[in-house]
Amino acid sequence: MTLKTTFAHYEFSNPLMNASGVHCMTTQELDELLQSQAGAVITKSSTLEKRAGNPEPRYVDLSLGSINSMGLPNLGFDYYLEYVLEKQKDTSIKGPLFFSVAGMSAKENIELLQKLQESAFDGITELNLSCPNVPGKPQLAYDFEATEALLKEVFSFFKKPLGIKLPPYFDLVHFDTMAEILNQFPLTYVNSVNSVGNALFIDPDTEAVVIKPKDGFGGLGGQYIKPTALANVRAFYTRLKPEIKIIGTGGIVTGQDAFEHLLCGASLLQIGTALHQEGPAIFERITRELEEIMAQKGYQSIDAFRGKLKSL
């Protein structure tokens, strides 16, 4: 049996990786991921300059997941670029690193991608079009015209492997419209989904919200969003051209969760809330649980069942 996964002409030992934003702020955290059983590693979404992010408390664990309004805290584009360029020289690292960018505007996104294009970075870039927790900044990916315009400009100069991270969509027409736009471009992948934006959680004892920014409104993650994440993975897997792969993100806590994302059509899987709660050891556990499920079902490889979700 093997969990090996081919993605963007690269081979990964297994499909598991961190979600950008979790356990990847510092070089120490990134090193811990590289030393774990994760099949791949992605950096924190970076902006041009260092950002402190939103005031605390801005992340709280809930019974079935988490709520956060981080506000894109990061150590700046150059910090992460220096790290990935150094790691590219390390022959012990299997597969390419993923580099996430999330500009505060379309103009900043273009500037960040131009810097990456001109750099020696030879990994895979993720453009985060879904940042629900920056006050006053809408999620670009909910503006279809703006998304199409940005991607046209990006692909006029960006020639390296590029994927985009999307928010969840909730209407079949929106899946159709976004897929029609994305199919125009040589995207490497779509990452679906980011947290469900603007949820609200109340502490019953204090009768108050649990996070400070945006009067308590924040992105919902964890088990709460798995059904939404699975629906988005499946919707894009069945609508996008085969060359555009899917990274499934949302609610992966167990090997069964991972199996379901793969069954819906995901090629790689990102873990966020559960990684934050459990630490990098989670990758060894979920890998083992996934192998046990595959053994019970008689699957020798992920390709034997990936995307083969049955309808009634």
Side-chain angles (χ1 to χ4, degrees):
M1 181 194 294
T2 178
L3 293 185
K4 285 183 179 176
T5 301
T6 301
F7 183 91
H9 310 298
Y10 299 99
E11 187 173 81
F12 297 91
S13 60
N14 68 66
L16 303 178
M17 58 188 296
N18 64 304
S20 179
V22 182
H23 210 91
C24 56
M25 172 76 88
T26 65
T27 56
Q28 179 181 339
E29 288 181 329
L30 287 162
D31 281 342
E32 289 169 0
L33 290 177
L34 286 171
Q35 292 158 15
S36 76
Q37 294 299 306
V41 171
I42 188 168
T43 64
K44 182 81 175 69
S45 291
S46 64
T47 49
L48 207 53
E49 304 296 336
K50 178 179 177 180
R51 280 179 60 85
N54 292 339
E56 304 273 5
R58 59 193 185 186
Y59 175 98
V60 170
D61 285 319
L62 308 175
S63 58
L64 292 174
S66 64
I67 187 170
N68 85 87
S69 183
M70 301 298 290
L72 271 178
N74 71 94
L75 298 172
F77 176 85
D78 290 340
Y79 177 90
Y80 301 105
L81 182 61
E82 181 180 342
Y83 177 83
V84 296
L85 292 180
E86 185 61 32
K87 290 300 175 183
Q88 282 178 186
K89 304 172 187 174
D90 187 344
T91 56
S92 68
I93 297 174
K94 301 290 188 284
L97 292 167
F98 286 70
F99 192 103
S100 178
V101 295
M104 301 300 290
S105 64
K107 181 182 177 184
E108 185 174 333
N109 278 324
I110 294 297
E111 187 173 352
L112 291 168
L113 292 173
Q114 284 174 334
K115 285 177 174 289
L116 271 180
Q117 177 63 35
E118 293 163 6
S119 76
F121 177 61
D122 63 4
I124 300 172
T125 302
E126 180 167 288
L127 173 60
N128 189 344
L129 299 181
S130 170
C131 295
N133 300 314
V134 178
K137 299 288 184 181
Q139 292 195 54
L140 182 67
Y142 283 147
D143 185 331
F144 297 127
E145 290 181 3
T147 297
E148 184 174 8
L150 177 64
L151 290 177
K152 280 182 179 175
E153 187 170 359
V154 166
F155 284 108
S156 70
F157 67 88
F158 199 81
K159 306 304 177 187
K160 299 179 179 182
L162 177 72
I164 58 171
K165 186 168 188 178
L166 294 178
Y169 297 97
F170 304 97
D171 195 298
L172 294 178
V173 173
H174 293 158
F175 292 129
D176 294 339
T177 303
M178 181 53 79
E180 191 175 330
I181 291 169
L182 300 181
N183 279 331
Q184 300 174 45
F185 301 101
L187 285 162
T188 299
Y189 71 88
V190 163
N191 181 354
S192 194
V193 297
N194 204 335
S195 57
V196 174
N198 294 315
L200 189 73
F201 194 83
I202 296 170
D203 184 323
D205 296 325
T206 64
E207 301 176 14
V209 298
V210 296
I211 57 174
K212 184 176 179 65
K214 295 167 58 179
D215 293 323
F217 285 69
L220 190 67
Q223 295 175 71
Y224 293 108
I225 73 166
K226 189 181 83 167
T228 297
L230 292 176
N232 277 258
V233 167
R234 188 62 179 172
F236 283 117
Y237 178 74
T238 56
R239 285 167 173 79
L240 294 176
K241 56 190 179 183
E243 308 92 271
I244 302 177
K245 303 304 180 186
I246 311 290
I247 294 181
T249 307
I252 298 175
V253 180
T254 66
Q256 179 62 35
D257 300 324
F259 181 85
E260 291 174 14
H261 268 270
L262 295 165
L263 192 64
C264 284
S267 292
L268 292 178
L269 309 172
Q270 290 187 359
I271 302 175
T273 296
L275 169 60
H276 181 272
Q277 294 171 344
E278 191 172 329
I282 193 173
F283 294 110
E284 189 277 330
R285 176 179 64 77
I286 293 183
T287 297
R288 184 181 69 251
E289 292 174 358
L290 179 58
E291 287 175 334
E292 289 170 355
I293 291 168
M294 289 171 60
Q296 291 168 6
K297 292 177 174 286
Y299 292 127
Q300 294 300 308
S301 70
I302 288 171
D303 283 342
F305 65 90
R306 190 179 61 81
K308 296 180 181 177
L309 180 67
K310 301 169 186 172
S311 296
L312 298 181

